[in-house]
Amino acid sequence: MTADLTSAGLVPAPDSAETAGGDGFVLDTATTLYAGPGTGTTERWLRSAVGAAVGLPFAPGDRAAPGGITLLVDDTLEPEGYRLRIGSGTGVEIRGGSGAGVFWGAQTLRQLLGPDAFRAAPAGGNGPRTLPAVTIEDAPRFSWRGTMLDVARHFTQKTDVLRFLDLLAAHKLNVFHFHLIDDQGWRIEIKRYPRLTEVGAWRARSKWGHRGSDLWDEKPHGGYYTQDDIREIVAYAAERHITVVPEIGLPGHSQAAIAAYPELGNTDVTDTAALSPWDDWGVSPNVLAPTDTTLRFYEGVLEEVLELFPASTSPYIHMGGDECPKDQWKRSATAQARIAEHGLDGEDGLQSWMIRHFDDWLTARGRRLIGWDEILEGGLAPGATVSSWRGYGGGITAAEAGHDVVMCPEQYVYLDHRQDGGPDEPMPLGYVRTLEDVYRFEPVPPTLSPEAAAHVIGTQANVWTEVMQDRSRVDYQVFPRLAAFAEVAWSALPGPAERDFAGFEARMGAHYRRLDALGVAYRPPGGPLPWQKRPGVKGFPREGAPPNV
């Protein structure tokens, strides 16, 4: 990036930016917008978001007319790459290798317009806006640039999910991992199984702080998305070139489903009819029974899920597979009979058998299964992709075996982990992961061969909400670190030690003003504001550097 453009504070950093002399280009009420074939999503977004913020109508224009904004698909560019040219006599031209590339170029244009372009309505009047004369060439490093939001532990209202998608798009992140179910709540309407939301979406109370805390929020908590809500969310994401990956996890983290339909649990070893959605955090011992009844039930769930999340926008379905305690299976005659029937390698083999069943089921319907790295235990399903969360190890094993991998190790990109070691961090969990720590995260381990490294299709930051009870707490934990993560996922950065964090921090000066305009309650660089602290609420901080596993 040239010195003349540093003040613009582009985040994530583009591959190259060449400034030219001259006065730049002035946007005003006469500026027109021409949208070539395949660029309709960007055309609509520029008018509804950017035009509304700066008070300019962007009237339809002609491609040959000088001095307007021109959007074009150019298949000589990388699919998500773009070229943004701004000239005093030529106007603005954004070429992208696809509609997505054009959209990411428009996100850069918005940043060049200044922080007021991130507001919902004009704050600086409807006057002219001057853009620098510049040519930016850019393309992402990874095709999977994801963020997971857990809406099961604390429910996120639909409008806040849509806002979250806008925040991902503003950072050129293109995968939204939608963690819809867990022990504490089932958040998606399934019409053939109404008790999943009538019973499973509501818990009587919630632990306040870490599970070791003795404080409780005695207010009942819950909520779910209707099928029309889901369709709206998926369509909204698609307009922003974001893939939605729904997670319907099994066989663990399933107490809410078992509470709604007790026959899904291990009825021969526990009274499943007495269960309710879990009001504590951690890992519930109540897991699904490996029966035909369970398989048929979840096939029914998935039939509706596949209709709500079309293959064109959601090719992947996340089946969880993580943190499944095997104690009930060890004591269950039904589970042991299933192990014997199929000659499985104990309880790990039983879990693998269940994951393989759904891998085959999804493959037959044109979808791909993705799961947490525990799906490696007992043998990996042939077509499965691995979310490597416990460290790099699972991802390394999977990549070397020829499976695609999304790197999301908890020690580096779990954004529920605390941001500072000071005493004022609210409900502090995990290791200290500062803005700089996230910026120096490297998704591809150097030990991987080039062939195995090619299977690391991307990276993802995960947002678990046990101690994030509302939107402001999510904002605080996620930002500004998501901006650093976005640059790691998008930009061609050098190795961790060689990265210019000081330069990134300087660019964040401009980016904080964008976040302010968007109303994001991020953690300030100087520490939490008084109302962001949670004195007296217990967390679970871990000291020292995180293990490199």
Side-chain angles (χ1 to χ4, degrees):
M1 187 182 299
T2 65
D4 289 343
L5 204 58
T6 301
S7 61
L10 298 181
V11 176
D15 284 346
S16 69
E18 297 286 338
T19 56
D23 298 329
F25 174 65
V26 178
L27 271 71
D28 56 26
T29 55
T31 301
T32 59
L33 173 60
Y34 170 80
T39 68
T41 55
T42 303
E43 177 188 19
R44 289 187 290 273
W45 179 82
L46 278 172
R47 288 202 177 98
S48 65
V50 180
V54 299
L56 299 179
F58 296 145
D62 185 81
R63 178 176 178 177
I69 300 172
T70 301
L71 310 177
L72 299 169
V73 171
D74 181 345
D75 60 12
T76 66
L77 301 173
E78 293 184 33
E80 289 190 277
Y82 67 90
R83 181 184 300 118
L84 169 62
R85 284 180 173 154
I86 305 173
S88 57
T90 56
V92 177
E93 180 186 84
I94 304 174
R95 289 178 177 262
S98 65
V102 175
F103 184 71
W104 304 132
Q107 292 290 347
T108 299
L109 175 64
R110 187 192 196 186
Q111 291 195 15
L112 292 173
L113 280 167
D116 280 356
F118 289 78
R119 295 189 179 276
N126 299 346
R129 306 273 173 150
T130 302
L131 290 166
V134 64
T135 297
I136 294 175
E137 303 261 3
D138 204 7
R141 178 185 180 191
F142 292 109
S143 61
W144 185 300
R145 307 181 301 280
T147 305
M148 186 223 71
L149 180 63
D150 165 23
V151 299
R153 272 49 175 272
H154 279 104
F155 180 63
T156 301
Q157 296 293 333
K158 180 196 69 178
T159 51
D160 288 337
V161 173
L162 301 179
R163 172 182 179 266
F164 196 77
L165 290 169
D166 278 329
L167 291 172
L168 298 189
H171 292 83
K172 299 187 175 73
L173 296 168
N174 69 340
V175 177
F176 175 52
H177 178 167
F178 205 5
H179 185 81
L180 286 162
I181 74 169
D182 218 296
D183 295 310
Q184 295 85 1
W186 184 286
R187 306 294 181 213
I188 178 171
E189 178 188 26
I190 303 296
K191 290 187 181 294
R192 74 187 70 183
Y193 303 127
R195 286 178 59 83
L196 286 172
T197 47
E198 291 171 357
V199 174
W202 310 94
R203 62 176 181 264
R205 61 177 187 168
S206 303
K207 180 60 67 76
W208 182 239
H210 180 259
R211 62 179 176 269
S213 170
D214 58 0
L215 302 176
W216 291 88
D217 179 353
E218 298 292 347
K219 182 174 65 177
H221 180 84
Y224 66 91
Y225 308 102
T226 68
Q227 294 203 348
D228 281 344
D229 290 338
I230 293 292
R231 292 186 183 96
E232 180 183 359
I233 289 166
V234 170
Y236 196 86
E239 278 283 299
R240 287 146 184 79
H241 298 276
I242 295 173
T243 294
V244 182
V245 180
E247 182 174 353
I248 308 294
L250 56 78
H253 289 290
S254 298
Q255 184 164 321
I258 297 169
Y261 291 92
E263 64 271 22
L264 297 175
N266 295 283
T267 56
D268 57 346
V269 297
T270 191
D271 181 9
T272 58
L275 295 176
S276 59
W278 212 22
D279 60 9
D280 207 343
W281 313 133
V283 182
S284 168
N286 295 295
V287 303
L288 297 173
T291 63
D292 290 344
T293 296
T294 297
L295 297 182
R296 300 293 88 77
F297 183 95
Y298 275 84
E299 287 170 0
V301 168
L302 288 171
E303 284 175 0
E304 296 192 26
V305 167
L306 296 191
E307 188 274 326
L308 295 169
F309 296 89
S312 59
T313 56
S314 299
Y316 289 89
I317 305 296
H318 207 293
M319 296 303 296
D322 62 315
E323 296 180 321
C324 178
K326 310 295 195 303
D327 293 345
Q328 290 185 350
W329 285 354
K330 289 176 181 178
R331 295 184 287 118
S332 166
T334 300
Q336 294 301 313
R338 183 67 92 183
I339 291 171
E341 175 189 358
H342 293 283
L344 303 175
D345 183 17
E347 290 74 28
D348 285 346
L350 183 58
Q351 175 170 327
S352 177
W353 172 81
M354 292 186 76
I355 296 295
R356 284 173 180 266
H357 173 87
F358 288 103
D359 182 56
D360 292 341
W361 192 92
L362 289 168
T363 298
R365 288 155 180 82
R367 304 301 181 96
R368 295 189 63 182
L369 180 144
I370 183 170
W372 303 110
D373 55 56
E374 285 96 329
I375 66 174
L376 291 161
E377 298 168 1
L380 187 58
T385 298
V386 171
S387 301
S388 189
W389 77 273
R390 291 181 293 179
Y392 289 106
I396 291 171
T397 299
E400 289 176 343
H403 292 270
D404 286 345
V405 172
V406 175
M407 284 293 186
C408 49
E410 66 164 329
Q411 302 89 347
Y412 301 95
V413 289
Y414 267 36
L415 300 185
D416 51 324
H417 283 217
R418 58 194 170 131
Q419 303 184 67
D420 188 86
D424 292 331
E425 292 305 305
M427 306 184 202
L429 297 181
Y431 297 101
V432 172
R433 296 288 84 193
T434 65
L435 184 68
E436 182 173 359
D437 291 330
V438 175
Y439 190 68
R440 297 192 188 279
F441 163 62
E442 172 50 49
V444 181
T447 57
L448 283 179
S449 68
E451 295 78 14
H455 283 287
V456 180
I457 60 174
T459 183
Q460 181 170 294
N462 293 334
V463 183
W464 301 102
T465 61
E466 288 95 334
V467 299
M468 300 183 213
Q469 73 283 358
D470 56 32
R471 190 178 87 178
S472 64
R473 279 288 290 127
V474 172
D475 279 2
Y476 179 91
Q477 290 298 132
V478 171
F479 292 99
R481 292 183 295 181
L482 195 69
F485 173 79
E487 186 148 311
V488 169
W490 177 277
S491 304
L493 298 176
E498 289 75 43
R499 291 178 188 171
D500 181 12
F501 177 70
F504 172 76
E505 201 169 29
R507 285 183 283 121
M508 282 300 296
H511 201 64
Y512 284 122
R513 294 193 293 275
R514 298 181 192 121
L515 296 178
D516 287 334
L518 288 165
V520 176
Y522 58 86
R523 181 189 188 275
L529 299 170
W531 53 87
Q532 293 174 321
K533 302 174 185 179
R534 296 291 184 276
V537 181
K538 184 176 182 179
F540 186 65
R542 297 186 224 180
E543 302 302 333
N548 186 12
V549 294

